Amino acid sequence: MTFSLAIVGRPNVGKSTLFNRLVGKKLALVDDRPGVTRDRREGEGRLGDLTFRIVDTAGLEEATPASLEGRMRAQTEAAIGDCDAILFMIDARIGLTPTDRAFADLVRKAGKPVILVANKSEGRGGEAGTLEAFGLGLGDPVPLSAEHGEGLSELYDAICDALPEQTRLEEEDEDDEDAEDEAPVEGEAAPEKPRRPIKVAVLGRPNAGKSTLINKLLGEDRLLTGPEAGITRDSISVNVTYAGIPLEVFDTAGLRKRSRIDDKLEKLSAADGLRAMKFAEVVVILIDATRPFEEQDLRIADLVAREGRALVIGYNKADLVARGGLATRLREEIDHLLPQVKGVPIVPVSGLMGHGLDKLVAAIVSAHKVWNKRVATNPLNRFLQQVTENHPPPAVSGRRIKLRYMTQPKARPPSFVLFCSRTDAVPESYIRYLVNGIRETFDLPGVPIRLTLREKDNPYAD
């Protein structure tokens, strides 16, 4: 059986370091300063032969519910309520603090199995703090070093003791019987394979409403939101099913101009957001309708196009601005400023009120379909013949350029290869003419199109 573990504790005790160690990747941001983690981050953890869902949480702090720290604590308490067991972590080098004792009572009242972890216990410096942890009354502490990977075997034993039913290995005979029971009966149709979720990254400037929009899609306050700019730091992945369409949505930190970023942590957050964009299939750029279309929005869109991802523009907070002629004005402005993704879908939405979400999801599905589109070679070459008859390539230095044939070797994004003579002499303007013709003829709006020129080897060159 699978189970879930939540790592909780006060700030800067090493929760994210242990999360990265169990997941096997550097997913969570780690820094020396306290309070780096704000949202719940989930991942698939492995320890020996155990596979489980692991949740990294924000550091527990005493704060009013309306403050940012209070909202972070509410997210941690939600993770405690959803998990099967709690990894309560302390810093063995500092020892017990009044905050540790206060939150040990909170964890105890949750009624879940608790595994007490004394992190940073490598060497002699952590011995006193490990022994002091017995005073919490949460059982024997597990001495651990998340950074160096020491004490993981003791952690494995503690998890098995805390969750004996979930960690019990099933016998092979039972698995075989279950497999026979699940096999389809002859003559019956095989069960339909579940649809793979579309990977969607939501990018934009700080305070554009990215987390609020994803919460509305999800139908719950899963991500931390508020009036403060720059709340999101980690790129958080959540699974959403909206109108029967499965999506894996990545919430990212707001992207500012590079020249304005001085803080190391903001640089890490921006890099994490760009990494999420590279692994996405469709990128939604969220623009704040109360702030005009700025150069930073163009930079983000150009970056997405150069990375080769399908693009959708969400015009958020559209309920706060006048709607008269808005769609036409946006269409003209974006097609002029972003010719490399001409025809990109523009969807007015309101993340707070939930308006326009169905149109946004439909635009994501449509963009994903175009991004995966393939064109047969015969129509491509008929197109090439027609455009060259209408507008032949210019002669360079008195020599004519011959365009022979075209094919599409791959999609995601649509990529084409044009075989011709003198590839270095084809003007950039003529390449743009061909790309625009491909986009219009084969209905490829809003996706970057790759066109590579290739020259055949001359058999008489030698």
Side-chain angles (χ1 to χ4, degrees):
M1 293 177 62
T2 185
F3 57 93
S4 60
L5 301 174
I7 311 174
V8 302
R10 61 180 178 82
N12 211 28
V13 295
K15 299 183 294 297
S16 296
T17 305
L18 179 60
F19 174 85
N20 288 341
R21 173 71 62 178
L22 294 176
V23 172
K25 302 175 186 176
K26 292 184 178 179
L27 293 181
L29 297 183
V30 176
D31 196 69
D32 293 335
R33 76 185 77 177
V36 172
T37 303
R38 288 177 172 173
D39 274 298
R40 285 179 281 162
R41 178 186 274 278
E42 300 181 6
E44 176 143 354
R46 292 181 179 275
L47 187 58
D49 55 1
L50 300 179
T51 303
F52 47 86
R53 186 172 63 93
I54 186 76
V55 184
D56 184 23
T57 64
L60 290 164
E61 297 182 77
E62 292 284 357
T64 58
S67 65
L68 176 59
E69 291 76 12
R71 300 198 300 273
M72 290 162 58
R73 175 172 173 172
Q75 290 283 331
T76 301
E77 291 175 352
I80 292 174
D82 293 340
C83 70
D84 295 311
I86 302 168
L87 297 179
F88 186 76
M89 183 177 284
I90 66 166
D91 189 334
R93 292 188 176 273
I94 295 178
L96 289 185
T97 65
T99 306
D100 289 323
R101 298 181 187 278
F103 290 123
D105 294 334
L106 173 68
V107 168
R108 192 180 293 110
K109 292 175 183 177
K112 304 286 180 72
V114 180
I115 301 167
L116 180 59
V117 177
N119 193 31
K120 308 179 186 180
S121 60
E122 66 275 13
R124 295 184 178 180
E127 291 180 0
T130 303
L131 295 174
E132 193 177 348
F134 282 95
L136 291 175
L138 295 176
D140 296 345
V142 179
L144 185 76
S145 174
E147 186 172 359
H148 301 289
E150 299 176 6
L152 293 180
S153 60
E154 289 82 358
L155 180 61
Y156 174 91
D157 295 335
I159 293 174
C160 292
D161 293 339
L163 298 170
E165 290 295 323
Q166 290 89 334
T167 57
R168 180 175 59 86
L169 293 176
E170 297 181 359
E171 298 180 5
E172 294 184 2
D173 295 341
E174 295 178 1
D175 292 341
D176 294 341
E177 291 176 4
D178 292 341
E180 291 176 3
D181 293 340
E182 294 174 0
V185 179
E186 186 176 355
E188 291 185 3
E192 186 178 350
K193 291 179 66 176
R195 184 175 178 180
R196 187 178 64 83
I198 302 173
K199 294 184 177 181
V200 182
V202 183
L203 269 63
R205 289 174 287 166
N207 214 21
K210 299 180 289 296
S211 300
T212 304
L213 176 71
I214 297 173
N215 279 344
K216 189 62 71 171
L217 278 172
L218 198 59
E220 61 174 295
D221 291 335
R222 168 63 179 82
L223 301 170
L224 195 62
T225 60
E228 305 91 347
I231 289 179
T232 303
R233 285 177 174 167
D234 288 273
S235 296
I236 306 298
S237 167
V238 294
N239 290 318
V240 178
T241 300
Y242 191 90
I245 299 170
L247 306 171
E248 184 180 358
V249 186
F250 293 83
D251 184 24
T252 63
L255 299 175
R256 297 197 299 162
K257 290 183 179 180
R258 186 180 300 177
S259 59
R260 296 182 180 177
I261 300 177
D262 299 322
D263 186 48
K264 172 191 171 186
L265 192 55
E266 188 174 356
K267 290 181 181 179
L268 293 174
S269 299
D272 201 30
L274 295 178
R275 192 180 305 114
M277 178 265 292
K278 291 179 180 179
F279 285 99
E281 296 169 328
V282 180
V283 176
V284 176
I285 297 180
L286 214 57
I287 300 173
D288 189 340
T290 60
R291 298 159 60 190
F293 202 67
E294 293 184 0
E295 183 182 356
Q296 180 64 3
D297 299 314
L298 295 177
R299 291 179 184 273
I300 296 172
D302 182 62
L303 184 63
V304 173
R306 283 190 280 116
E307 197 60 39
R309 300 292 171 256
L311 185 63
V312 174
I313 293 180
Y315 203 66
N316 196 26
K317 308 179 186 179
D319 54 325
L320 302 179
V321 296
R323 300 293 295 274
L326 175 66
T328 305
R329 188 171 67 253
L330 281 177
R331 178 82 277 155
E332 294 174 353
E333 185 177 3
I334 291 176
D335 283 347
H336 172 70
L337 296 173
L338 295 171
Q340 65 271 42
V341 285
K342 189 175 181 180
V344 57
I346 306 170
V347 185
V349 296
S350 172
L352 186 63
M353 305 302 295
H355 299 160
L357 297 185
D358 50 349
K359 294 182 180 178
L360 179 65
V361 173
I364 290 171
V365 174
S366 176
H368 184 260
K369 185 177 180 180
V370 173
W371 191 62
N372 285 275
K373 190 171 184 179
R374 282 187 171 274
V375 181
T377 303
N378 281 344
L380 271 177
N381 285 288
R382 285 197 297 269
F383 156 79
L384 181 63
Q385 182 180 1
Q386 183 178 356
V387 295
T388 51
E389 288 176 356
N390 295 338
H391 187 187
V396 180
S397 300
R399 296 173 59 192
R400 192 163 56 90
I401 299 173
K402 297 180 181 178
L403 305 183
R404 293 188 168 88
Y405 67 94
M406 183 185 294
T407 185
Q408 183 185 3
K410 64 182 286 291
R412 304 167 65 93
S415 302
F416 303 89
V417 175
L418 173 62
F419 289 88
C420 62
S421 63
R422 307 180 63 202
T423 55
D424 56 338
V426 180
E428 196 68 32
S429 58
Y430 197 79
I431 295 176
R432 289 197 300 269
Y433 164 70
L434 291 175
V435 169
N436 290 334
I438 292 171
R439 190 185 304 279
E440 294 175 7
T441 304
F442 300 106
D443 194 21
L444 300 173
V447 297
I449 294 176
R450 303 280 189 261
L451 179 60
T452 305
L453 304 183
R454 192 172 297 173
E455 190 172 345
K456 279 192 171 184
D457 294 333
N458 184 358
Y460 302 103
D462 297 334

